[in-house]
Amino acid sequence: MDYDSLFLSHIQTIKDEERYRWFVNLYHQGEEFPYARLDTKRRVIIWCSNDYLGQGQNPHVIRTMQDALADHGGGSGGTRNISGTTNLHVDLEQEIAQLHKKEASLLFTSGYVANETTLTTIGRSHPHWIFLSDASNHASIIHGIRASHAQKHIFRHNDMKDLERHLRALPTQHPKMIVCESVYSMDGDFAPLEDIVTLAKRYNALLYVDEVHAVGLYGNEGGGGGERAHVMEHIDIIQGTLAKAFGVMGGYIAAQQSVIDFIRSTAPGFIFTTSLPPAIAAGALHAMQFLRHRPQLRAQLSQRADAMKRQLQTARIPFSPSPSHIIPIIVGDAQRCRHISDALLQQGHYVQPVNYPTVPKKTERLRVTLTPLHSEEMIRSFVSALQKIWRNIIHAHGEQ
Protein backbone atom coordinates (compact mmCIF):
# COMPACT_ATOMS: atom_id res chain seq x y z
CA MET A 1 0.00 0.00 0.00
CA ASP A 2 1.33 3.42 -1.04
CA TYR A 3 -0.04 5.48 1.83
CA ASP A 4 1.27 8.78 0.51
CA SER A 5 -0.59 8.29 -2.77
CA LEU A 6 -3.72 7.32 -0.87
CA PHE A 7 -3.83 10.60 1.03
CA LEU A 8 -2.73 12.71 -1.94
CA SER A 9 -5.55 11.29 -4.06
CA HIS A 10 -8.07 12.38 -1.43
CA ILE A 11 -6.54 15.84 -1.30
CA GLN A 12 -6.69 16.11 -5.09
CA THR A 13 -10.38 15.25 -5.05
CA ILE A 14 -10.99 17.98 -2.51
CA LYS A 15 -9.08 20.47 -4.68
CA ASP A 16 -10.98 19.40 -7.81
CA GLU A 17 -14.24 20.09 -6.00
CA GLU A 18 -12.98 23.54 -4.88
CA ARG A 19 -13.20 22.43 -1.25
CA TYR A 20 -9.53 22.68 -0.35
CA ARG A 21 -9.02 24.85 2.71
CA TRP A 22 -6.43 27.58 2.32
CA PHE A 23 -5.33 29.31 5.50
CA VAL A 24 -4.50 33.00 5.43
CA ASN A 25 -1.49 33.69 7.65
CA LEU A 26 -2.49 36.78 9.62
CA TYR A 27 -0.48 38.80 12.10
CA HIS A 28 -3.01 39.80 14.73
CA GLN A 29 -2.25 42.89 16.77
CA GLY A 30 -4.75 43.49 19.55
CA GLU A 31 -4.55 47.26 19.54
CA GLU A 32 -5.42 47.37 15.83
CA PHE A 33 -8.43 45.01 15.80
CA PRO A 34 -10.43 44.55 13.56
CA TYR A 35 -7.34 45.17 11.45
CA ALA A 36 -4.69 42.51 11.01
CA ARG A 37 -1.56 42.37 8.89
CA LEU A 38 -0.72 40.07 6.01
CA ASP A 39 2.89 41.15 6.26
CA THR A 40 4.79 44.07 7.72
CA LYS A 41 3.13 46.57 5.38
CA ARG A 42 -0.30 45.33 4.26
CA ARG A 43 -3.24 45.76 6.60
CA VAL A 44 -6.59 44.05 6.11
CA ILE A 45 -9.92 44.39 7.90
CA ILE A 46 -11.22 41.11 9.32
CA TRP A 47 -14.89 40.46 8.52
CA CYS A 48 -15.19 36.85 9.69
CA SER A 49 -13.94 36.86 13.28
CA ASN A 50 -15.89 35.05 15.99
CA ASP A 51 -14.52 37.52 18.54
CA TYR A 52 -17.93 39.14 18.26
CA LEU A 53 -17.52 41.81 20.93
CA GLY A 54 -13.77 42.34 20.73
CA GLN A 55 -13.09 40.89 24.17
CA GLY A 56 -9.98 39.12 22.91
CA GLN A 57 -8.57 42.62 22.47
CA ASN A 58 -9.99 44.13 25.67
CA PRO A 59 -6.96 45.54 27.55
CA HIS A 60 -8.55 44.70 30.91
CA VAL A 61 -9.04 41.08 29.85
CA ILE A 62 -5.46 40.90 28.57
CA ARG A 63 -4.10 42.39 31.78
CA THR A 64 -6.08 39.90 33.86
CA MET A 65 -4.64 37.04 31.79
CA GLN A 66 -1.11 38.40 32.15
CA ASP A 67 -1.49 38.57 35.92
CA ALA A 68 -2.88 35.02 36.04
CA LEU A 69 -0.05 33.80 33.83
CA ALA A 70 2.50 35.27 36.22
CA ASP A 71 0.71 33.84 39.26
CA HIS A 72 -0.26 30.38 37.99
CA GLY A 73 2.15 29.62 35.13
CA GLY A 74 1.47 28.60 31.57
CA GLY A 75 -0.55 25.41 32.05
CA SER A 76 -2.91 23.85 34.54
CA GLY A 77 -0.68 20.89 35.37
CA GLY A 78 -3.15 18.14 34.64
CA THR A 79 -6.71 16.97 34.37
CA ARG A 80 -9.30 18.43 36.71
CA ASN A 81 -8.98 15.41 38.97
CA ILE A 82 -5.16 15.38 38.93
CA SER A 83 -3.99 18.84 40.04
CA GLY A 84 -5.76 20.65 37.17
CA THR A 85 -8.44 22.42 39.22
CA THR A 86 -7.62 25.92 40.41
CA ASN A 87 -9.63 28.63 42.11
CA LEU A 88 -9.98 30.28 38.69
CA HIS A 89 -11.69 27.22 37.20
CA VAL A 90 -14.06 27.05 40.15
CA ASP A 91 -14.82 30.79 40.05
CA LEU A 92 -15.49 30.67 36.30
CA GLU A 93 -17.86 27.71 36.65
CA GLN A 94 -19.77 29.57 39.36
CA GLU A 95 -20.03 32.64 37.12
CA ILE A 96 -21.29 30.55 34.18
CA ALA A 97 -23.94 28.92 36.37
CA GLN A 98 -25.10 32.33 37.60
CA LEU A 99 -25.23 33.73 34.07
CA HIS A 100 -27.49 30.90 32.92
CA LYS A 101 -29.49 30.63 36.17
CA LYS A 102 -28.42 27.01 36.70
CA GLU A 103 -27.22 25.09 39.73
CA ALA A 104 -23.81 24.29 38.29
CA SER A 105 -21.61 24.27 35.19
CA LEU A 106 -18.64 22.35 33.84
CA LEU A 107 -15.70 23.58 31.76
CA PHE A 108 -14.32 21.84 28.66
CA THR A 109 -11.41 22.63 26.38
CA SER A 110 -13.72 23.74 23.54
CA GLY A 111 -17.36 24.09 22.61
CA TYR A 112 -16.95 21.18 20.21
CA VAL A 113 -15.68 18.93 22.99
CA ALA A 114 -18.47 20.09 25.30
CA ASN A 115 -21.13 19.07 22.77
CA GLU A 116 -19.59 15.83 21.62
CA THR A 117 -18.64 14.62 25.10
CA THR A 118 -21.91 15.54 26.80
CA LEU A 119 -24.22 14.11 24.15
CA THR A 120 -22.21 10.92 23.74
CA THR A 121 -22.11 10.34 27.49
CA ILE A 122 -25.80 10.98 28.01
CA GLY A 123 -26.77 8.84 25.02
CA ARG A 124 -24.83 5.89 26.43
CA SER A 125 -26.29 6.23 29.93
CA HIS A 126 -29.52 4.36 29.14
CA PRO A 127 -30.29 1.73 26.49
CA HIS A 128 -33.36 3.58 25.26
CA TRP A 129 -32.21 7.20 24.97
CA ILE A 130 -33.74 8.98 21.96
CA PHE A 131 -32.36 12.20 20.46
CA LEU A 132 -34.41 14.60 18.36
CA SER A 133 -31.94 16.79 16.50
CA ASP A 134 -32.52 19.83 14.28
CA ALA A 135 -31.39 19.19 10.71
CA SER A 136 -29.09 22.25 10.81
CA ASN A 137 -27.26 21.35 14.01
CA HIS A 138 -23.49 21.75 14.23
CA ALA A 139 -21.10 18.91 13.40
CA SER A 140 -20.16 18.53 17.08
CA ILE A 141 -23.79 17.77 17.92
CA ILE A 142 -24.13 15.36 15.02
CA HIS A 143 -20.94 13.52 15.95
CA GLY A 144 -21.82 13.40 19.64
CA ILE A 145 -25.21 11.84 18.97
CA ARG A 146 -23.75 9.44 16.40
CA ALA A 147 -21.01 8.28 18.78
CA SER A 148 -23.58 7.55 21.48
CA HIS A 149 -25.24 4.91 19.26
CA ALA A 150 -28.57 6.07 20.66
CA GLN A 151 -31.69 6.23 18.57
CA LYS A 152 -31.99 9.56 16.76
CA HIS A 153 -34.62 11.41 14.77
CA ILE A 154 -33.77 14.42 12.61
CA PHE A 155 -36.52 17.02 12.37
CA ARG A 156 -36.70 19.65 9.64
CA HIS A 157 -34.93 22.86 10.54
CA ASN A 158 -37.03 24.97 12.93
CA ASP A 159 -40.15 23.01 11.88
CA MET A 160 -42.25 22.54 14.99
CA LYS A 161 -44.89 20.46 13.25
CA ASP A 162 -42.24 18.00 12.15
CA LEU A 163 -40.69 17.94 15.61
CA GLU A 164 -44.06 17.20 17.20
CA ARG A 165 -44.75 14.50 14.62
CA HIS A 166 -41.57 12.72 15.75
CA LEU A 167 -42.31 13.23 19.44
CA ARG A 168 -45.84 11.93 19.13
CA ALA A 169 -44.62 8.66 17.61
CA LEU A 170 -42.07 7.87 20.34
CA PRO A 171 -42.64 5.57 23.32
CA THR A 172 -43.63 7.69 26.29
CA GLN A 173 -41.57 5.63 28.74
CA HIS A 174 -38.24 6.13 26.93
CA PRO A 175 -35.91 9.03 27.87
CA LYS A 176 -35.67 11.60 25.11
CA MET A 177 -33.85 14.84 24.42
CA ILE A 178 -34.48 17.65 21.94
CA VAL A 179 -31.21 19.19 20.72
CA CYS A 180 -31.01 22.50 18.88
CA GLU A 181 -29.00 25.70 18.59
CA SER A 182 -30.33 29.08 19.64
CA VAL A 183 -28.59 30.87 16.75
CA TYR A 184 -27.48 28.87 13.72
CA SER A 185 -23.98 29.78 12.64
CA MET A 186 -24.30 29.56 8.86
CA ASP A 187 -27.75 31.10 8.32
CA GLY A 188 -27.91 33.37 11.36
CA ASP A 189 -31.50 32.46 12.20
CA PHE A 190 -32.94 31.93 15.68
CA ALA A 191 -34.58 28.75 16.94
CA PRO A 192 -38.20 29.20 18.08
CA LEU A 193 -37.24 28.37 21.65
CA GLU A 194 -40.61 29.25 23.17
CA ASP A 195 -42.31 26.65 20.96
CA ILE A 196 -39.58 24.06 21.53
CA VAL A 197 -39.90 24.48 25.30
CA THR A 198 -43.65 23.93 25.01
CA LEU A 199 -43.15 20.69 23.07
CA ALA A 200 -40.43 19.48 25.43
CA LYS A 201 -42.77 19.88 28.38
CA ARG A 202 -45.74 18.36 26.56
CA TYR A 203 -43.83 15.20 25.67
CA ASN A 204 -41.62 15.00 28.79
CA ALA A 205 -38.36 15.51 26.89
CA LEU A 206 -35.20 17.20 28.10
CA LEU A 207 -34.08 20.25 26.13
CA TYR A 208 -30.42 20.79 25.19
CA VAL A 209 -29.57 24.14 23.58
CA ASP A 210 -26.27 25.09 21.98
CA GLU A 211 -25.79 28.81 22.73
CA VAL A 212 -22.30 29.31 21.28
CA HIS A 213 -23.33 32.01 18.78
CA ALA A 214 -25.67 33.73 21.23
CA VAL A 215 -24.10 33.74 24.68
CA GLY A 216 -22.76 37.18 25.55
CA LEU A 217 -24.67 38.68 22.64
CA TYR A 218 -28.36 38.34 23.47
CA GLY A 219 -30.44 38.82 26.58
CA ASN A 220 -30.27 41.50 29.23
CA GLU A 221 -27.05 40.09 30.73
CA GLY A 222 -25.80 38.19 27.69
CA GLY A 223 -27.30 34.86 28.74
CA GLY A 224 -28.02 34.04 25.09
CA GLY A 225 -31.03 33.04 23.05
CA GLY A 226 -32.75 31.48 26.04
CA GLU A 227 -32.58 34.75 27.96
CA ARG A 228 -33.67 36.67 24.87
CA ALA A 229 -36.75 34.44 24.58
CA HIS A 230 -37.37 34.49 28.35
CA VAL A 231 -37.22 30.69 28.58
CA MET A 232 -33.71 30.17 29.95
CA GLU A 233 -34.99 28.55 33.16
CA HIS A 234 -36.87 25.97 31.08
CA ILE A 235 -33.77 24.78 29.16
CA ASP A 236 -32.37 21.70 30.87
CA ILE A 237 -28.80 21.81 29.52
CA ILE A 238 -27.17 24.92 28.06
CA GLN A 239 -23.93 24.51 26.14
CA GLY A 240 -21.75 27.49 25.39
CA THR A 241 -18.31 28.66 24.38
CA LEU A 242 -15.68 31.02 25.72
CA ALA A 243 -14.16 31.45 22.26
CA LYS A 244 -16.62 33.85 20.65
CA ALA A 245 -18.25 36.68 22.58
CA PHE A 246 -15.86 36.15 25.50
CA GLY A 247 -12.81 36.28 23.25
CA VAL A 248 -10.62 33.44 24.56
CA MET A 249 -11.15 29.67 24.22
CA GLY A 250 -12.96 26.80 25.90
CA GLY A 251 -16.48 25.45 26.23
CA TYR A 252 -18.95 24.52 28.93
CA ILE A 253 -22.32 23.13 29.88
CA ALA A 254 -24.67 24.51 32.54
CA ALA A 255 -27.47 22.47 34.13
CA GLN A 256 -28.80 21.16 37.41
CA GLN A 257 -26.24 19.69 39.77
CA SER A 258 -27.13 16.06 39.07
CA VAL A 259 -26.44 16.44 35.34
CA ILE A 260 -23.14 18.23 35.90
CA ASP A 261 -21.99 15.70 38.49
CA PHE A 262 -22.91 12.81 36.18
CA ILE A 263 -20.91 14.23 33.24
CA ARG A 264 -18.01 15.20 35.53
CA SER A 265 -17.86 11.69 36.90
CA THR A 266 -18.33 9.60 33.75
CA ALA A 267 -17.42 11.51 30.56
CA PRO A 268 -14.05 10.39 29.08
CA GLY A 269 -13.77 13.63 27.10
CA PHE A 270 -13.71 15.51 30.39
CA ILE A 271 -11.98 13.07 32.74
CA PHE A 272 -8.94 12.39 30.56
CA THR A 273 -8.32 15.90 29.20
CA THR A 274 -5.92 18.44 30.67
CA SER A 275 -7.91 21.42 31.93
CA LEU A 276 -7.83 24.90 30.49
CA PRO A 277 -4.78 27.00 31.44
CA PRO A 278 -5.65 29.18 34.44
CA ALA A 279 -4.82 32.33 32.47
CA ILE A 280 -7.52 31.40 29.93
CA ALA A 281 -10.03 30.84 32.72
CA ALA A 282 -9.12 34.21 34.23
CA GLY A 283 -9.61 36.00 30.92
CA ALA A 284 -12.97 34.32 30.31
CA LEU A 285 -14.13 35.14 33.83
CA HIS A 286 -13.24 38.81 33.44
CA ALA A 287 -14.86 39.04 29.99
CA MET A 288 -18.06 37.37 31.23
CA GLN A 289 -18.35 39.66 34.24
CA PHE A 290 -17.57 42.67 32.06
CA LEU A 291 -20.18 41.83 29.41
CA ARG A 292 -22.98 41.08 31.84
CA HIS A 293 -23.05 44.82 32.56
CA ARG A 294 -22.42 46.12 29.02
CA PRO A 295 -25.74 46.02 27.14
CA GLN A 296 -24.47 48.95 25.08
CA LEU A 297 -21.91 46.67 23.39
CA ARG A 298 -24.68 44.26 22.38
CA ALA A 299 -26.68 47.19 21.04
CA GLN A 300 -23.69 48.49 19.07
CA LEU A 301 -23.15 45.07 17.48
CA SER A 302 -26.79 45.00 16.37
CA GLN A 303 -26.48 48.50 14.94
CA ARG A 304 -23.36 47.58 12.95
CA ALA A 305 -25.03 44.46 11.57
CA ASP A 306 -28.12 46.44 10.54
CA ALA A 307 -25.92 49.03 8.82
CA MET A 308 -24.16 46.30 6.84
CA LYS A 309 -27.48 44.74 5.79
CA ARG A 310 -28.81 48.11 4.59
CA GLN A 311 -25.74 48.80 2.51
CA LEU A 312 -25.70 45.30 1.00
CA GLN A 313 -29.34 45.71 0.06
CA THR A 314 -28.66 49.08 -1.55
CA ALA A 315 -25.73 47.57 -3.48
CA ARG A 316 -27.96 44.65 -4.58
CA ILE A 317 -25.65 42.04 -3.11
CA PRO A 318 -27.67 38.88 -2.38
CA PHE A 319 -27.62 37.96 1.30
CA SER A 320 -29.86 36.09 3.69
CA PRO A 321 -31.76 38.67 5.77
CA SER A 322 -30.99 36.95 9.05
CA PRO A 323 -32.34 38.51 12.26
CA SER A 324 -29.03 38.01 14.06
CA HIS A 325 -25.52 39.46 13.82
CA ILE A 326 -24.49 36.76 11.30
CA ILE A 327 -24.80 37.86 7.66
CA PRO A 328 -24.54 35.12 5.00
CA ILE A 329 -23.71 36.53 1.54
CA ILE A 330 -24.83 33.77 -0.79
CA VAL A 331 -22.58 33.04 -3.78
CA GLY A 332 -23.77 29.55 -4.69
CA ASP A 333 -20.56 28.34 -6.32
CA ALA A 334 -17.36 27.19 -4.63
CA GLN A 335 -14.98 28.54 -7.27
CA ARG A 336 -16.63 31.95 -7.37
CA CYS A 337 -16.73 32.08 -3.60
CA ARG A 338 -12.97 31.56 -3.46
CA HIS A 339 -12.43 34.09 -6.27
CA ILE A 340 -14.45 36.77 -4.45
CA SER A 341 -12.63 36.11 -1.19
CA ASP A 342 -9.22 36.36 -2.89
CA ALA A 343 -10.21 39.55 -4.72
CA LEU A 344 -11.48 41.15 -1.50
CA LEU A 345 -8.22 40.27 0.24
CA GLN A 346 -6.32 42.20 -2.42
CA GLN A 347 -8.59 45.16 -1.64
CA GLY A 348 -7.78 44.98 2.07
CA HIS A 349 -10.80 42.97 3.26
CA TYR A 350 -10.55 39.45 4.69
CA VAL A 351 -13.60 37.20 4.73
CA GLN A 352 -13.17 33.46 4.38
CA PRO A 353 -15.30 31.50 1.86
CA VAL A 354 -17.57 28.85 3.38
CA ASN A 355 -17.97 25.77 1.21
CA TYR A 356 -19.17 22.17 1.44
CA PRO A 357 -19.29 20.26 3.79
CA THR A 358 -19.81 23.19 6.17
CA VAL A 359 -22.78 24.24 4.02
CA PRO A 360 -24.63 22.28 1.28
CA LYS A 361 -23.31 22.50 -2.25
CA LYS A 362 -24.79 25.36 -4.29
CA THR A 363 -25.16 27.44 -1.10
CA GLU A 364 -21.50 28.47 -0.80
CA ARG A 365 -21.20 31.82 0.90
CA LEU A 366 -19.20 34.52 2.58
CA ARG A 367 -20.16 34.57 6.25
CA VAL A 368 -19.79 38.13 7.48
CA THR A 369 -19.65 38.90 11.19
CA LEU A 370 -19.10 42.39 12.50
CA THR A 371 -18.08 43.72 15.89
CA PRO A 372 -18.73 47.02 17.69
CA LEU A 373 -15.19 47.95 16.59
CA HIS A 374 -16.10 48.01 12.89
CA SER A 375 -16.88 51.56 11.79
CA GLU A 376 -19.42 52.86 9.28
CA GLU A 377 -16.51 53.85 7.05
CA MET A 378 -15.17 50.29 7.13
CA ILE A 379 -18.59 48.95 6.18
CA ARG A 380 -18.88 51.35 3.24
CA SER A 381 -15.41 50.38 2.04
CA PHE A 382 -16.22 46.66 2.22
CA VAL A 383 -19.53 46.94 0.39
CA SER A 384 -18.03 49.17 -2.29
CA ALA A 385 -15.20 46.72 -2.96
CA LEU A 386 -17.57 43.74 -2.94
CA GLN A 387 -19.99 45.46 -5.33
CA LYS A 388 -17.29 46.04 -7.93
CA ILE A 389 -15.96 42.49 -7.63
CA TRP A 390 -19.48 41.06 -7.79
CA ARG A 391 -20.31 43.00 -10.97
CA ASN A 392 -17.11 41.81 -12.65
CA ILE A 393 -17.89 38.19 -11.83
CA ILE A 394 -21.49 38.46 -13.04
CA HIS A 395 -20.30 40.10 -16.25
CA ALA A 396 -17.60 37.45 -16.77
CA HIS A 397 -20.22 34.69 -16.56
CA GLY A 398 -22.73 36.46 -18.77
CA GLU A 399 -25.39 36.74 -16.06
CA GLN A 400 -27.88 39.48 -15.55
Side-chain angles (χ1 to χ4, degrees), residues 3 63 115 150 166 186 190 290 309 352:
Y3 293 107
R63 192 173 305 115
N115 269 337
H166 285 290
M186 287 299 117
F190 289 96
F290 178 83
K309 293 170 187 176
Q352 187 71 8

Side-chain angles (χ1 to χ4, degrees), residues 176-195:
K176 54 191 71 72
M177 179 183 289
I178 301 169
V179 186
C180 67
E181 301 180 39
S182 60
V183 176
Y184 288 88
S185 62
M186 287 299 117
D187 291 319
D189 53 338
F190 289 96
L193 290 180
E194 303 97 320
D195 296 332

Side-chain angles (χ1 to χ4, degrees), residues 122-130 148-151 174-175:
I122 288 175
R124 291 177 176 176
S125 68
H126 190 283
H128 297 299
W129 261 110
I130 303 170
S148 76
H149 302 296
Q151 184 183 157
H174 289 179

Side-chain angles (χ1 to χ4, degrees), residues 84-277:
T85 295
T86 70
N87 61 299
L88 291 169
H89 295 94
V90 174
D91 291 347
L92 177 55
E93 286 175 337
Q94 291 175 348
E95 184 72 21
I96 291 168
Q98 291 173 12
L99 175 65
H100 291 298
K101 306 297 189 291
K102 301 300 179 191
E103 291 180 357
S105 76
L106 191 65
L107 288 169
F108 292 85
T109 50
S110 73
Y112 191 107
V113 173
N115 269 337
E116 188 173 51
T117 298
T118 302
L119 293 170
T120 298
T121 304
I122 288 175
R124 291 177 176 176
S125 68
H126 190 283
H128 297 299
W129 261 110
I130 303 170
F131 288 106
L132 299 105
S133 180
D134 189 286
S136 293
N137 276 340
H138 189 263
S140 57
I141 293 174
I142 295 170
H143 293 165
I145 293 174
R146 182 181 297 155
S148 76
H149 302 296
Q151 184 183 157
K152 65 177 182 294
H153 295 266
I154 311 301
F155 62 92
R156 290 190 293 270
H157 177 53
N158 279 350
D159 188 330
M160 296 300 96
K161 289 183 179 179
D162 194 44
L163 173 56
E164 185 165 22
R165 178 179 66 83
H166 285 290
L167 285 164
R168 192 184 299 120
L170 297 176
T172 57
Q173 70 274 22
H174 289 179
K176 54 191 71 72
M177 179 183 289
I178 301 169
V179 186
C180 67
E181 301 180 39
S182 60
V183 176
Y184 288 88
S185 62
M186 287 299 117
D187 291 319
D189 53 338
F190 289 96
L193 290 180
E194 303 97 320
D195 296 332
I196 297 175
V197 164
T198 298
L199 290 176
K201 290 182 176 298
R202 182 180 301 165
Y203 291 94
N204 192 27
L206 291 182
L207 177 55
Y208 182 108
V209 178
D210 178 322
E211 290 271 24
V212 298
H213 292 279
V215 67
L217 305 176
Y218 298 98
N220 185 52
E221 292 189 344
E227 187 181 21
R228 171 183 176 270
H230 306 291
V231 296
M232 189 162 59
E233 67 274 18
H234 301 297
I235 299 172
D236 298 289
I237 303 175
I238 291 175
Q239 181 267 345
T241 185
L242 307 172
K244 294 180 171 58
F246 302 123
V248 287
M249 67 169 291
Y252 63 83
I253 58 170
Q256 65 187 44
Q257 184 65 53
S258 60
V259 172
I260 298 302
D261 206 25
F262 167 69
I263 298 297
R264 185 187 69 85
S265 301
T266 64
F270 173 80
I271 294 172
F272 299 107
T273 300
T274 298
S275 63
L276 287 172

Side-chain angles (χ1 to χ4, degrees), residues 270-338:
F270 173 80
I271 294 172
F272 299 107
T273 300
T274 298
S275 63
L276 287 172
I280 297 293
L285 176 61
H286 187 97
M288 192 172 292
Q289 292 171 335
F290 178 83
L291 290 178
R292 288 183 72 175
H293 305 289
R294 297 299 188 284
Q296 66 271 23
L297 276 179
R298 291 185 275 279
Q300 288 171 12
L301 175 63
S302 178
Q303 292 164 4
R304 296 293 189 275
D306 288 344
M308 173 66 83
K309 293 170 187 176
R310 287 194 300 270
Q311 292 201 33
L312 288 171
Q313 188 171 26
T314 300
R316 297 185 177 180
I317 302 297
F319 69 97
S320 295
S322 70
S324 73
H325 61 288
I326 296 170
I327 307 173
I329 298 175
I330 306 301
V331 179
D333 179 89
Q335 187 174 29
R336 289 190 210 178
C337 205
R338 165 58 59 188

